[in-house]
Amino acid sequence: MALNSFYVFAGISFSIWTIVIGHATFCVVVVYNNVLARLRRTSPSLYEASMDLGADGWQTFRYVTWPVVSTALISGALLAFALSFDEVIVTTFTAGAQTTLPIFILDNLRQGQQLPIINVVALVVIVLTTIPVAIAQRLTRETGILRTE
């Protein structure tokens, strides 16, 4: 509601970009908390060893920090996508006249007239959601870090 009030006060017309900004404001926190938790679990001795071996800041980030954080970014992005897709309230307040897929599903579930169509849409969404999860699982495998080979 606060974001809706801001858009109205600032004279910003509702569009797909207001929906994106609305979802990004709460999804960024999910990714940030995921990455921060991973960084807190990482031993500082890894960074110290990298510096002791002569790596500069960029090399330390590229060869030590990025592999550690990459899986947290992937999992945070997948979690943010799932939460964003389910967040009908934010979409309702920031969409205006736009009809997004979650709003379409919710409206048709309430009316109950097009349940077979909603079932097909839900199946397609489930199938399309498993693809990034399978890709993320394939990239990380047993090691827990993003494979670079």
Side-chain angles (χ1 to χ4, degrees), residues 112-141:
Q113 296 171 349
Q114 298 180 352
L115 290 179
I117 294 173
I118 298 304
N119 289 338
V120 170
V121 169
L123 178 67
V124 168
V125 166
I126 290 170
V127 168
L128 289 178
T129 304
T130 58
I131 292 170
V133 172
I135 291 171
Q137 192 276 333
R138 180 114 169 112
L139 284 174
T140 56
R141 297 249 177 132

Short mmCIF file of all heavy atoms in Angstrom, two decimals, residues 112-141:
data_model
loop_
_atom_site.label_atom_id
_atom_site.label_comp_id
_atom_site.label_asym_id
_atom_site.label_seq_id
_atom_site.Cartn_x
_atom_site.Cartn_y
_atom_site.Cartn_z
N GLY A 112 -14.58 -19.59 -10.66
CA GLY A 112 -14.79 -21.02 -10.82
C GLY A 112 -15.35 -21.43 -12.17
O GLY A 112 -15.82 -22.55 -12.31
N GLN A 113 -15.29 -20.56 -13.17
CA GLN A 113 -15.88 -20.89 -14.47
C GLN A 113 -14.87 -21.54 -15.41
O GLN A 113 -15.27 -22.28 -16.31
CB GLN A 113 -16.44 -19.63 -15.12
CG GLN A 113 -17.58 -19.04 -14.33
CD GLN A 113 -18.00 -17.68 -14.86
OE1 GLN A 113 -17.30 -17.11 -15.69
NE2 GLN A 113 -19.12 -17.18 -14.37
N GLN A 114 -13.60 -21.27 -15.24
CA GLN A 114 -12.59 -21.78 -16.17
C GLN A 114 -11.56 -22.65 -15.45
O GLN A 114 -10.36 -22.52 -15.66
CB GLN A 114 -11.90 -20.60 -16.86
CG GLN A 114 -12.83 -19.77 -17.69
CD GLN A 114 -12.10 -18.62 -18.35
OE1 GLN A 114 -10.94 -18.36 -18.08
NE2 GLN A 114 -12.79 -17.92 -19.23
N LEU A 115 -12.03 -23.55 -14.62
CA LEU A 115 -11.11 -24.39 -13.84
C LEU A 115 -10.22 -25.29 -14.71
O LEU A 115 -9.05 -25.47 -14.38
CB LEU A 115 -11.88 -25.21 -12.81
CG LEU A 115 -12.46 -24.39 -11.65
CD1 LEU A 115 -13.21 -25.28 -10.69
CD2 LEU A 115 -11.36 -23.63 -10.93
N PRO A 116 -10.69 -25.87 -15.81
CA PRO A 116 -9.77 -26.67 -16.65
C PRO A 116 -8.62 -25.84 -17.22
O PRO A 116 -7.48 -26.31 -17.28
CB PRO A 116 -10.67 -27.21 -17.76
CG PRO A 116 -12.04 -27.21 -17.18
CD PRO A 116 -12.08 -26.04 -16.26
N ILE A 117 -8.91 -24.60 -17.60
CA ILE A 117 -7.85 -23.73 -18.11
C ILE A 117 -6.84 -23.42 -17.01
O ILE A 117 -5.63 -23.44 -17.23
CB ILE A 117 -8.46 -22.43 -18.70
CG1 ILE A 117 -9.28 -22.77 -19.93
CG2 ILE A 117 -7.37 -21.43 -19.03
CD1 ILE A 117 -10.06 -21.62 -20.49
N ILE A 118 -7.32 -23.15 -15.82
CA ILE A 118 -6.44 -22.85 -14.68
C ILE A 118 -5.59 -24.07 -14.35
O ILE A 118 -4.41 -23.95 -14.01
CB ILE A 118 -7.27 -22.39 -13.46
CG1 ILE A 118 -8.00 -21.10 -13.79
CG2 ILE A 118 -6.39 -22.21 -12.24
CD1 ILE A 118 -7.11 -19.98 -14.26
N ASN A 119 -6.17 -25.27 -14.44
CA ASN A 119 -5.40 -26.49 -14.18
C ASN A 119 -4.26 -26.65 -15.18
O ASN A 119 -3.14 -27.01 -14.81
CB ASN A 119 -6.31 -27.72 -14.21
CG ASN A 119 -7.24 -27.77 -13.03
OD1 ASN A 119 -6.97 -27.18 -11.99
ND2 ASN A 119 -8.34 -28.48 -13.19
N VAL A 120 -4.53 -26.37 -16.44
CA VAL A 120 -3.48 -26.46 -17.46
C VAL A 120 -2.41 -25.40 -17.23
O VAL A 120 -1.21 -25.69 -17.32
CB VAL A 120 -4.10 -26.33 -18.87
CG1 VAL A 120 -3.01 -26.18 -19.92
CG2 VAL A 120 -4.98 -27.53 -19.17
N VAL A 121 -2.82 -24.18 -16.91
CA VAL A 121 -1.86 -23.10 -16.64
C VAL A 121 -0.99 -23.47 -15.45
O VAL A 121 0.23 -23.28 -15.47
CB VAL A 121 -2.60 -21.76 -16.43
CG1 VAL A 121 -1.66 -20.71 -15.88
CG2 VAL A 121 -3.23 -21.29 -17.72
N ALA A 122 -1.60 -24.02 -14.40
CA ALA A 122 -0.83 -24.40 -13.21
C ALA A 122 0.17 -25.51 -13.53
O ALA A 122 1.31 -25.49 -13.05
CB ALA A 122 -1.77 -24.85 -12.10
N LEU A 123 -0.24 -26.47 -14.35
CA LEU A 123 0.68 -27.54 -14.75
C LEU A 123 1.86 -26.99 -15.54
O LEU A 123 3.01 -27.37 -15.31
CB LEU A 123 -0.06 -28.60 -15.57
CG LEU A 123 0.82 -29.74 -16.08
CD1 LEU A 123 1.32 -30.58 -14.91
CD2 LEU A 123 0.06 -30.59 -17.07
N VAL A 124 1.59 -26.07 -16.47
CA VAL A 124 2.67 -25.47 -17.26
C VAL A 124 3.62 -24.68 -16.36
O VAL A 124 4.85 -24.76 -16.52
CB VAL A 124 2.08 -24.57 -18.38
CG1 VAL A 124 3.15 -23.73 -19.03
CG2 VAL A 124 1.37 -25.42 -19.41
N VAL A 125 3.08 -23.96 -15.39
CA VAL A 125 3.92 -23.19 -14.46
C VAL A 125 4.79 -24.14 -13.64
O VAL A 125 5.98 -23.88 -13.44
CB VAL A 125 3.05 -22.30 -13.56
CG1 VAL A 125 3.85 -21.76 -12.40
CG2 VAL A 125 2.45 -21.17 -14.36
N ILE A 126 4.23 -25.23 -13.18
CA ILE A 126 5.01 -26.20 -12.39
C ILE A 126 6.13 -26.80 -13.23
O ILE A 126 7.28 -26.91 -12.79
CB ILE A 126 4.10 -27.30 -11.83
CG1 ILE A 126 3.20 -26.72 -10.73
CG2 ILE A 126 4.90 -28.47 -11.29
CD1 ILE A 126 2.10 -27.65 -10.27
N VAL A 127 5.83 -27.17 -14.47
CA VAL A 127 6.85 -27.74 -15.35
C VAL A 127 7.94 -26.72 -15.65
O VAL A 127 9.14 -27.03 -15.60
CB VAL A 127 6.20 -28.28 -16.64
CG1 VAL A 127 7.25 -28.62 -17.68
CG2 VAL A 127 5.35 -29.50 -16.33
N LEU A 128 7.53 -25.48 -15.96
CA LEU A 128 8.52 -24.45 -16.26
C LEU A 128 9.35 -24.05 -15.03
O LEU A 128 10.49 -23.62 -15.18
CB LEU A 128 7.84 -23.21 -16.85
CG LEU A 128 7.29 -23.36 -18.26
CD1 LEU A 128 6.58 -22.08 -18.69
CD2 LEU A 128 8.38 -23.73 -19.23
N THR A 129 8.80 -24.22 -13.85
CA THR A 129 9.55 -23.91 -12.63
C THR A 129 10.59 -24.98 -12.33
O THR A 129 11.64 -24.68 -11.76
CB THR A 129 8.58 -23.75 -11.46
OG1 THR A 129 7.62 -22.76 -11.78
CG2 THR A 129 9.31 -23.34 -10.20
N THR A 130 10.34 -26.20 -12.71
CA THR A 130 11.31 -27.26 -12.44
C THR A 130 12.56 -27.15 -13.30
O THR A 130 13.61 -27.66 -12.93
CB THR A 130 10.69 -28.65 -12.62
OG1 THR A 130 10.19 -28.76 -13.95
CG2 THR A 130 9.58 -28.90 -11.64
N ILE A 131 12.46 -26.49 -14.45
CA ILE A 131 13.62 -26.38 -15.34
C ILE A 131 14.77 -25.61 -14.69
O ILE A 131 15.90 -26.11 -14.65
CB ILE A 131 13.20 -25.77 -16.70
CG1 ILE A 131 12.30 -26.76 -17.44
CG2 ILE A 131 14.41 -25.41 -17.55
CD1 ILE A 131 11.64 -26.19 -18.67
N PRO A 132 14.55 -24.38 -14.13
CA PRO A 132 15.68 -23.71 -13.48
C PRO A 132 16.21 -24.45 -12.25
O PRO A 132 17.41 -24.42 -11.97
CB PRO A 132 15.14 -22.34 -13.08
CG PRO A 132 13.82 -22.20 -13.69
CD PRO A 132 13.38 -23.53 -14.18
N VAL A 133 15.32 -25.14 -11.55
CA VAL A 133 15.77 -25.91 -10.38
C VAL A 133 16.68 -27.06 -10.83
O VAL A 133 17.72 -27.32 -10.22
CB VAL A 133 14.56 -26.43 -9.58
CG1 VAL A 133 15.00 -27.37 -8.48
CG2 VAL A 133 13.77 -25.27 -9.00
N ALA A 134 16.30 -27.73 -11.90
CA ALA A 134 17.13 -28.82 -12.42
C ALA A 134 18.47 -28.30 -12.93
O ALA A 134 19.51 -28.93 -12.71
CB ALA A 134 16.38 -29.56 -13.53
N ILE A 135 18.45 -27.15 -13.59
CA ILE A 135 19.71 -26.56 -14.08
C ILE A 135 20.60 -26.17 -12.90
O ILE A 135 21.81 -26.44 -12.92
CB ILE A 135 19.42 -25.35 -14.98
CG1 ILE A 135 18.79 -25.82 -16.29
CG2 ILE A 135 20.68 -24.55 -15.25
CD1 ILE A 135 18.27 -24.72 -17.16
N ALA A 136 20.02 -25.57 -11.87
CA ALA A 136 20.81 -25.18 -10.69
C ALA A 136 21.38 -26.41 -9.99
O ALA A 136 22.54 -26.41 -9.57
CB ALA A 136 19.95 -24.38 -9.72
N GLN A 137 20.60 -27.47 -9.91
CA GLN A 137 21.10 -28.68 -9.27
C GLN A 137 22.22 -29.30 -10.11
O GLN A 137 23.21 -29.78 -9.57
CB GLN A 137 19.94 -29.68 -9.11
CG GLN A 137 20.25 -30.86 -8.22
CD GLN A 137 20.95 -31.99 -8.93
OE1 GLN A 137 20.82 -32.18 -10.14
NE2 GLN A 137 21.73 -32.75 -8.19
N ARG A 138 22.08 -29.25 -11.41
CA ARG A 138 23.11 -29.81 -12.30
C ARG A 138 24.41 -29.01 -12.21
O ARG A 138 25.50 -29.58 -12.27
CB ARG A 138 22.60 -29.82 -13.73
CG ARG A 138 23.55 -30.35 -14.72
CD ARG A 138 23.02 -31.63 -15.30
NE ARG A 138 23.83 -32.02 -16.45
CZ ARG A 138 24.59 -33.08 -16.43
NH1 ARG A 138 24.65 -33.84 -15.38
NH2 ARG A 138 25.29 -33.40 -17.49
N LEU A 139 24.30 -27.69 -12.09
CA LEU A 139 25.49 -26.85 -12.01
C LEU A 139 26.25 -27.04 -10.69
O LEU A 139 27.47 -26.99 -10.66
CB LEU A 139 25.12 -25.38 -12.17
CG LEU A 139 24.78 -24.90 -13.58
CD1 LEU A 139 24.31 -23.47 -13.53
CD2 LEU A 139 25.98 -25.04 -14.49
N THR A 140 25.52 -27.22 -9.61
CA THR A 140 26.19 -27.27 -8.31
C THR A 140 26.60 -28.68 -7.90
O THR A 140 27.57 -28.85 -7.19
CB THR A 140 25.29 -26.66 -7.23
OG1 THR A 140 24.03 -27.33 -7.22
CG2 THR A 140 25.08 -25.19 -7.47
N ARG A 141 25.86 -29.67 -8.28
CA ARG A 141 26.13 -31.08 -7.98
C ARG A 141 26.50 -31.30 -6.52
O ARG A 141 25.93 -30.70 -5.63
CB ARG A 141 27.21 -31.62 -8.90
CG ARG A 141 26.81 -31.63 -10.34
CD ARG A 141 26.64 -33.04 -10.83
NE ARG A 141 26.18 -32.99 -12.20
CZ ARG A 141 26.71 -33.70 -13.15
NH1 ARG A 141 27.71 -34.50 -12.90
NH2 ARG A 141 26.21 -33.62 -14.35
#
